[in-house]
Amino acid sequence: MLEYGGGHWSLVFRFSNADQAEPSDLEIAGRYISWTVLPIAALILFVRGLQ
């Protein structure tokens, strides 16, 4: 909900059952991809830098 008051904007977010929230499948997949792709890319750049 976006409210205007007192000359400034304030964002108000309301979550229900926030303690039971779970990450989406897309977020989990993104974490695993970044855990594998970034170290492999760093290793490739490191090896190319040694040559």
Side-chain angles (χ1 to χ4, degrees), residues 3-39:
E3 297 178 353
Y4 182 75
H8 65 277
W9 290 92
S10 64
L11 294 173
V12 178
F13 297 99
R14 295 183 185 188
F15 297 97
S16 59
N17 298 329
D19 55 338
Q20 298 175 355
E22 296 181 4
S24 66
D25 291 338
L26 181 62
E27 183 178 354
I28 293 172
R31 289 180 188 176
Y32 281 112
I33 289 170
S34 65
W35 289 343
T36 56
V37 171
L38 292 179

Side-chain angles (χ1 to χ4, degrees), residues 31-51:
R31 289 180 188 176
Y32 281 112
I33 289 170
S34 65
W35 289 343
T36 56
V37 171
L38 292 179
I40 290 171
L43 181 63
I44 290 171
L45 290 174
F46 178 74
V47 170
R48 289 188 68 187
L50 291 176
Q51 295 176 352

